[in-house]
């Protein structure tokens, strides 16, 4: 019998990374969960050898079918303002309840720290952070065997062009615009590259190294750096200098609270980045320079 790994939001940035890693490793057969099984992205997963299941995350019976028969589950949620359209806590609690009822053996959860708790109530608008903690606490009380993965700031986001924050060519090199406050040390994560291997490592080792894994929050990150330090590393990969421009508020309270809190409080301050615990499980994260030399360079050549 195949060992099934159900992956939620399988066509997204995090989920697709997990799917790729599982397919490459071969220990588990991935079951890809998506809102639209007929989409091009879902059909591509089907052609790669995945089972593809269409699920509405606000429908408990639909969610239960997705995890029935699965040994392990990659629990990934998105804020309601994203493409899912279901409250994030509802996504998480429905999946956790279904995992418990279906007898899932192990769950990995992509989490974030609560910024309102971290700041003692100063920054309360970053609901996409606080909701992750609500889900994590629910998971802890569920009785399921689990571990969490905490990513930092997605390096891929510098290509999104959100409210002026972007990466562009200049006459002499490149300009990186960011809402990060000057001097802020931020964990930078190439999520599409490193989330998958991290989840796969937890899945492969939870039976033999549970004491090291259970209820731990592993941090996926290439480094804890300022924007200027990140620019130096990106320049190594791009072969041209990268200038940094710090922008004022984005006008989106959840995002502005996130960057303001970052300036005052470090995420996972007790964890060395890259996380040595992941390295001990065989996970080697990519460097910022490697991201610059591959994804970023390719996108800039197309621009």
């Amino acid at each position: 019998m195949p060992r099934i790994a159900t992956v939620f939001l399988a066509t997204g940035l995090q989920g697709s990374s997990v799917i790729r890693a599982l397919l490459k490793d071969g220990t588990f057969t991935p079951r890809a969960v998506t809102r639209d099984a007929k989409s091009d992205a879902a059909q591509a997963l089907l052609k790669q050898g995945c089972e593809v299941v269409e699920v509405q995350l606000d429908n408990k019976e639909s969610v239960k079918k997705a995890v029935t028969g699965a040994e392990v589950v990659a629990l990934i949620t998105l804020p309601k303002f994203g493409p899912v359209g279901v409250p994030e806590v509802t996504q998480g609690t429905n999946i956790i309840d279904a995992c418990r009822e279906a007898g899932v053996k192990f769950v990995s959860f992509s989490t974030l720290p609560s910024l309102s708790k971290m700041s003692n109530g100063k920054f309360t608008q970053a609901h996409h952070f606080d909701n992750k903690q609500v889900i994590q606490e629910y998971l802890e009380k569920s009785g399921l065997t689990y571990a969490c993965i905490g990513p930092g700031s997605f390096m891929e986001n510098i290509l999104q062009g959100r409210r002026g924050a972007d990466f562009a060519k200049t006459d002499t090199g490149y300009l990186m615009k960011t809402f990060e406050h000057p001097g802020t040390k931020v964990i930078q994560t190439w999520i599409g590259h490193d989330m998958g291997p991290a989840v796969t490592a937890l899945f492969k080792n939870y039976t033999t190294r549970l004491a090291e894994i259970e209820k731990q929050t592993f941090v996926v990150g290439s480094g804890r750096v300022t924007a200027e330090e990140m620019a130096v590393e990106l320049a190594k990969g791009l072969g041209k200098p990268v200038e940094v421009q710090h922008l004022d508020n984005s006008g989106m309270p959840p995002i502005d609270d996130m960057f303001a809190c970052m300036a005052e409080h470090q995420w996972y301050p007790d964890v060395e980045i890259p996380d040595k615990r992941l390295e001990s499980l065989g996970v080697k994260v990519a460097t910022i320079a490697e991201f610059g030399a591959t994804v970023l360079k390719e996108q800039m050549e197309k621009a």
Side-chain angles (χ1 to χ4, degrees):
M1 293 289 290
R3 301 174 70 186
I4 296 173
T6 294
V7 181
F8 282 87
L9 303 184
T11 60
L13 194 58
Q14 296 185 64
S16 60
S17 177
V18 176
I19 292 288
R20 287 193 299 272
L22 290 171
L23 287 171
K24 181 179 179 180
D25 176 75
T27 302
F28 293 89
T29 300
R31 177 185 290 166
V33 178
T34 178
R35 292 177 303 116
D36 181 6
K38 296 180 181 178
S39 69
D40 291 343
Q43 288 298 303
L45 293 178
L46 191 64
K47 291 177 182 178
Q48 292 173 48
C50 293
E51 177 187 358
V52 176
V53 180
E54 185 172 295
V55 169
Q56 303 307 316
L57 293 174
D58 56 353
N59 184 313
K60 290 189 175 183
E61 287 303 312
S62 175
V63 173
K64 188 174 180 179
K65 289 179 182 178
V67 300
T68 297
E71 178 183 341
V72 295
V73 168
L75 171 52
I76 301 166
T77 59
L78 281 179
K80 185 178 179 180
F81 58 72
V84 176
V86 176
E88 188 164 13
V89 172
T90 300
Q91 299 170 42
T93 55
N94 281 352
I95 294 168
I96 291 165
D97 288 344
C99 288
R100 186 176 60 244
E101 293 171 19
V104 169
K105 301 298 183 184
F106 181 81
V107 175
S108 74
F109 174 48
S110 175
T111 192
L112 288 170
S114 169
L115 302 192
S116 61
K117 290 182 179 179
M118 182 185 296
S119 66
N120 293 316
K122 181 176 180 179
F123 301 107
T124 61
Q125 299 299 313
H127 305 300
H128 53 309
F129 283 74
D130 293 344
N131 286 340
K132 289 283 198 308
Q133 276 299 296
V134 172
I135 297 168
Q136 185 170 337
E137 290 168 8
Y138 192 82
L139 180 57
E140 183 174 356
K141 295 174 182 177
S142 71
L144 289 164
T145 301
Y146 76 93
C148 297
I149 295 180
S153 179
F154 294 4
M155 284 190 257
E156 289 92 337
N157 283 348
I158 65 176
L159 292 167
Q160 298 302 312
R162 293 173 178 166
R163 294 190 173 241
D166 61 8
F167 199 93
K169 294 178 181 178
T170 66
D171 291 339
T172 58
Y174 300 95
L175 174 65
M176 181 173 72
K177 298 180 182 180
T178 178
F179 291 114
E180 292 177 15
H181 295 201
T184 301
K185 292 276 189 178
V186 176
I187 297 171
Q188 295 292 345
T189 304
W190 183 357
I191 197 72
H193 185 280
D194 295 328
M195 176 59 86
V199 171
T200 300
L202 295 181
F203 285 173
K204 290 181 65 176
N205 288 286
Y206 85 91
T207 56
T208 57
R209 299 174 66 174
L210 187 59
E212 301 171 56
I213 291 172
E214 187 174 20
K215 297 184 179 180
Q216 296 296 306
T217 296
F218 298 87
V219 183
V220 176
S222 301
R224 196 190 300 268
V225 296
T226 64
E228 285 72 20
E229 290 168 339
M230 183 181 182
V232 169
E233 295 304 309
L234 291 175
K236 292 177 183 177
L238 290 164
K240 292 183 179 180
V242 177
E243 180 185 355
V244 177
Q245 179 182 349
H246 293 276
L247 302 174
D248 294 331
N249 290 349
S250 70
M252 298 177 65
I255 303 303
D256 293 335
D257 258 21
M258 176 184 73
F259 286 112
C261 188
M262 279 181 178
E264 296 185 19
H265 304 276
Q266 285 195 356
W267 301 1
Y268 310 112
D270 298 328
V271 179
E272 183 180 356
I273 308 298
D275 192 332
K276 300 298 184 183
R277 298 169 300 165
L278 283 175
E279 290 184 0
S280 75
L281 294 172
V283 179
K284 180 174 172 53
V285 299
T287 66
I288 296 170
E290 287 170 336
F291 175 80
T294 53
V295 174
L296 194 52
K297 191 169 186 177
E298 180 182 352
Q299 290 300 312
M300 289 299 99
E301 288 176 350
K302 291 179 181 178

